[in-house]
Amino acid sequence: MLKSRTSIYLIPLLLICACQSKPKEELSQHQKDSLASCEMNLPARYGKGLDTTNIKGGKASHEGMIFIRGAEFDMGATDKEGRADEYPQHKVKLASYWIDATEVTNASFKKFVEATGYVTTAERKPDWEEMKKQLPPGTPKPPDSVFVAASLVFYQPKSITTLNDAAQWWRWVKGADWKHPQGPKSNIKGKENYPVVHVSWDDAMAYCKWAGKRLPTEAEWEYAARGGIKNALYPWGNEDIEKGKGKANTWQGSFPVKNTDWDGFYGLSAVKKFSPNGYGLYDVAGNVWEWCSDWYRPDYYETLKGTSENPEGPGDSYDPMEPTVPKKVVRGGSFMCNASYCKGYRVTSRMKTSVDTGLEHTGFRCVSSN
């Protein structure tokens, strides 16, 4: 149970790996339903936006990055397994850029925190004045017990009643943050090479500023994740994820009640535990969702005409299920994605999360234009 956080004071918000695949034809008729299926009964945090003006911008180092030569490619899905917001496929032309070979690790994030004194969203108490802006007028203030520094931690239930109620496997845990992924009694000792998690979009942006880099656009992320394979379903090609050897850190078995650990991991894994894609990028499928710079709109692809050059996404955010909540795109899937339940590790899969939210399965990687 999520206890007080599931009360009427905090409405459903976060997107997690929770969508059944449907044929394209069905999605086009029931677009709103397909967009709703991935975000049922998960509470919002509504933390205060973070001030990063005191963080000195750094100079990007290309160590640990991969150079991606500019090119034109077809972005979006052509198969019948995508959600409605993955269509139509459209042409994109990108300039050259550098992208991190791995997700940002605990070791790298620790250097940032030590250099700047930065405090992440999960380490701060939610702000009622910010909450009110995104709740129906007249919503009463929650009890003070709600306003604690906390983050969402995955909990494996013994059984579930429906796959549309994410509150059955997510818990708000006081004291959970990037240094304590499962709560105050946990730590990251010996996990320096694991991806940093419990980072909000604001946190990722702050790190990027310090490092002299930026978050990838959705187009940059997808092109790099494809690894040079045209119209492949996954970064490694079209072979099913559970055929042959393990290809990514995902969930095998029956989500969320049983994980067979066939790929060798129950939860997060260190980076570089699976083979890289054709460009040399690791873990662009599975392990953790990765923040992009783009605002989320379900109809964005439909607005594009001709060839889009270095697209940066829509000018604002709109989610028909939660129109007052600003959301950014996340890509790549996580260790919680399961073939029979969610194929977030498909190279075209798009998801959405509020900018002030961090979870145990969300991280990021950076890019640089020079």
Side-chain angles (χ1 to χ4, degrees):
M1 299 292 291
L2 292 172
K3 299 182 180 179
S4 61
R5 296 285 189 162
T6 56
S7 69
I8 61 171
Y9 300 115
L10 298 176
I11 61 177
L13 174 62
L14 303 177
L15 173 72
I16 54 89
C17 195
C19 51
Q20 298 280 7
S21 297
K22 297 181 181 181
K24 180 179 177 181
E25 292 77 6
E26 183 180 356
L27 284 169
S28 65
Q29 298 172 18
H30 303 287
Q31 183 177 40
K32 189 171 183 179
D33 290 342
S34 73
L35 296 174
S37 65
C38 286
E39 45 180 33
M40 303 300 292
N41 298 324
L42 196 60
R45 183 178 192 278
Y46 299 117
K48 184 177 181 179
L50 303 180
D51 182 6
T52 62
T53 56
N54 63 333
I55 296 177
K56 184 179 180 180
K59 184 177 181 180
S61 167
H62 293 154
E63 182 179 355
M65 302 188 81
I66 302 294
F67 181 71
I68 305 295
R69 190 170 301 281
E72 185 174 302
F73 79 108
D74 296 322
M75 181 176 179
T78 56
D79 63 297
K80 296 182 179 181
E81 293 191 299
R83 296 166 70 242
D85 57 6
E86 296 177 39
Y87 307 97
Q89 189 176 78
H90 53 284
K91 290 193 176 296
V92 169
K93 184 177 181 181
L94 294 175
S96 299
Y97 59 101
W98 295 82
I99 185 167
D100 288 345
T102 72
E103 296 139 348
V104 173
T105 63
N106 287 321
S108 296
F109 199 78
K110 182 180 179 181
K111 291 179 180 178
F112 156 64
V113 170
E114 290 177 342
T116 62
Y118 184 82
V119 180
T120 63
T121 302
E123 297 172 277
R124 303 176 184 228
K125 294 181 180 180
D127 186 273
W128 172 237
E129 295 304 314
E130 293 298 317
M131 288 176 67
K132 288 194 297 185
K133 297 176 183 178
Q134 301 182 56
L135 294 171
T139 300
K141 183 180 179 180
D144 290 341
S145 60
V146 169
F147 296 93
V148 297
S151 195
L152 285 163
V153 174
F154 173 70
Y155 163 77
Q156 184 176 340
K158 293 182 179 179
S159 62
I160 60 171
T161 57
T162 173
L163 286 174
N164 289 328
D165 185 2
Q168 295 172 101
W169 55 86
W170 284 109
R171 287 181 173 179
W172 280 105
V173 176
K174 181 180 179 181
D177 54 46
W178 74 275
K179 292 178 291 187
H180 310 95
Q182 287 80 43
K185 293 183 179 180
S186 64
N187 59 64
I188 55 173
K189 292 180 180 179
K191 296 184 177 181
E192 291 79 10
N193 289 327
Y194 280 59
V196 64
V197 293
H198 293 295
V199 285
S200 68
W201 187 85
D202 292 328
D203 299 333
M205 288 290 287
Y207 175 94
C208 287
K209 181 179 180 181
W210 171 78
K213 302 178 184 181
R214 59 183 174 83
L215 287 176
T217 65
E218 191 177 5
E220 289 172 332
W221 191 98
E222 182 172 321
Y223 181 69
R226 286 178 176 272
I229 308 176
K230 185 176 181 179
N231 286 333
L233 298 177
Y234 314 110
W236 56 83
N238 292 324
E239 184 178 64
D240 185 85
I241 194 168
E242 293 188 28
K243 286 186 178 180
K245 66 178 182 178
K247 302 173 182 65
N249 182 15
T250 58
W251 188 283
Q252 296 86 45
S254 177
F255 182 84
V257 298
K258 182 181 180 180
N259 188 347
T260 66
D261 302 345
W262 172 80
D263 60 10
F265 301 98
Y266 167 77
L268 285 179
S269 69
V271 299
K272 295 187 177 182
K273 290 297 182 180
F274 296 88
S275 297
N277 73 357
Y279 289 148
L281 273 65
Y282 293 86
D283 303 311
V284 282
N287 217 19
V288 296
W289 287 101
E290 300 180 13
W291 287 110
C292 291
S293 61
D294 303 40
W295 289 112
Y296 174 81
R297 294 187 71 97
D299 60 349
Y300 174 59
Y301 288 6
E302 297 175 5
T303 69
L304 301 176
K305 307 297 180 184
T307 300
S308 299
E309 190 165 346
N310 298 314
E312 298 181 352
D316 58 6
S317 168
Y318 178 71
D319 177 6
M321 307 316 302
E322 292 178 307
T324 65
V325 181
K327 297 182 181 179
K328 291 286 184 174
V329 173
V330 288
R331 286 291 204 121
S334 78
F335 69 87
M336 294 168 60
C337 283
N338 178 258
S340 64
Y341 173 55
C342 163
K343 286 193 173 182
Y345 48 79
R346 292 170 53 259
V347 77
T348 60
S349 182
R350 310 175 67 218
M351 299 295 179
K352 52 193 172 178
T353 303
S354 65
V355 296
D356 66 352
T357 297
L359 299 98
E360 190 186 351
H361 72 345
T362 304
F364 68 104
R365 73 179 73 214
C366 307
V367 300
S368 173
S369 298
N370 48 45

